[in-house]
Amino acid sequence: LNWLSIILQDKKEFEEAESLLQKALAVDPDDVDTAANLGALYIYRGRPADAEPLLRRAVRISSTNVEARTNLGTCLAMQERYDEAIAEFEVIVAAGGHDPTIFNALGKACGLKGDLASAAMWLQRSLDQDPNQPSVREWRDRARQQAQ
């Protein structure tokens, strides 16, 4: 059901995908991957309040699940709860996560919070991992200029 929902999402059949993920969670409410995927679908559909309880439960069940924690951080940032979002992303980094997308998420959350120096630092870390990100370079430069 989880995999089929991904196919349906690719086909823009979101209601059907959501229904399948809900059925899968009814069968196994502790399946972290299904909860993370349903949370991601809710985030994509602009429903962070629906995503949050699912993602919090997924993180409680598996605190090392990067996808669930990343989705939770994204969900919190969408709700303008930047300190909480930053904390979730920082847990991933502290556990060894050095993916540019995590650094970008941290940079964006810090920037939206108004901490432009931290935003520039996280965006630089992203660029250190993957220098081929022109938009990230622009964000970093803007954050540096505005932080001065």
Side-chain angles (χ1 to χ4, degrees):
L1 293 176
N2 207 356
W3 283 106
L4 183 54
S5 76
I6 292 169
I7 293 168
L8 290 171
Q9 288 177 60
D10 287 344
K11 294 170 61 177
K12 308 290 187 220
E13 296 177 19
F14 300 114
E15 290 78 17
E16 294 85 354
E18 179 180 350
S19 177
L20 286 179
L21 289 168
Q22 289 172 339
K23 287 177 186 175
L25 276 180
V27 171
D28 185 359
D30 291 339
D31 185 75
V32 174
D33 294 328
T34 301
N37 287 342
L38 183 55
L41 176 61
Y42 287 153
I43 289 168
Y44 179 78
R45 301 289 307 234
R47 296 167 50 191
D50 292 330
E52 185 178 352
L54 285 168
L55 297 170
R56 285 201 181 276
R57 178 171 167 72
V59 167
R60 273 194 307 277
I61 293 168
S62 177
S63 64
T64 60
N65 186 292
V66 173
E67 182 180 5
R69 193 170 295 277
T70 300
N71 290 344
L72 178 57
T74 301
C75 169
L76 294 166
M78 287 176 73
Q79 296 176 76
E80 299 181 4
R81 293 161 54 194
Y82 302 120
D83 288 329
E84 292 174 77
I86 290 165
E88 293 300 330
F89 296 134
E90 285 178 338
V91 167
I92 297 168
V93 173
H98 294 161
D99 188 301
T101 58
I102 299 300
F103 296 145
N104 291 343
L106 271 160
K108 184 174 183 179
C110 288
L112 290 169
K113 179 185 168 189
D115 183 354
L116 299 174
S118 293
M121 183 270 302
W122 287 115
L123 296 171
Q124 182 58 54
R125 286 190 67 182
S126 174
L127 290 165
D128 291 345
Q129 293 293 316
D130 179 6
N132 267 342
Q133 301 180 84
S135 63
V136 173
R137 189 173 314 285
E138 290 173 26
W139 293 351
R140 184 217 45 209
D141 293 345
R142 253 183 288 141
R144 283 180 176 168
Q145 287 173 345
Q146 293 175 1
Q148 295 176 352

